[in-house]
Amino acid sequence: MKIGIVGSREYENKLKIKEFIFQCKEQFGEKLEIVSGGCKYGADKFARKFALEFGMKYVEFPPTH
């Protein structure tokens, strides 16, 4: 299963993303892959941080513009 986490570069609620990723890990286990756009700021940053912190599969698809 893949779950995409993307959002504003100004998004600052890291606790909400952390809790969401933790809940997804509890529910889907090793079958889960977190996908994000790889921005250095905001939601993408927190998605990467917590996916790796929880030892989950993580893939980035940065924009190609």
Side-chain angles (χ1 to χ4, degrees):
M1 163 159 303
K2 296 180 183 184
I3 294 179
I5 299 177
V6 296
S8 169
R9 292 180 180 164
E10 297 174 11
Y11 188 83
E12 296 183 10
N13 193 345
K14 63 183 176 183
L15 182 59
K16 190 169 191 167
I17 292 178
K18 182 177 184 176
E19 289 172 350
F20 176 74
I21 292 175
F22 182 77
Q23 290 172 356
C24 290
K25 181 178 181 180
E26 292 291 304
Q27 184 173 356
F28 300 108
E30 297 297 317
K31 297 182 272 183
L32 181 63
E33 180 176 273
I34 301 295
V35 179
S36 190
C39 184
K40 296 178 185 179
Y41 310 101
D44 292 10
K45 170 185 157 182
F46 300 131
R48 179 181 192 274
K49 175 183 176 25
F50 295 121
L52 297 177
E53 186 176 299
F54 292 140
M56 301 172 72
K57 296 175 192 170
Y58 174 78
V59 178
E60 285 182 0
F61 291 98
T64 58
H65 53 76

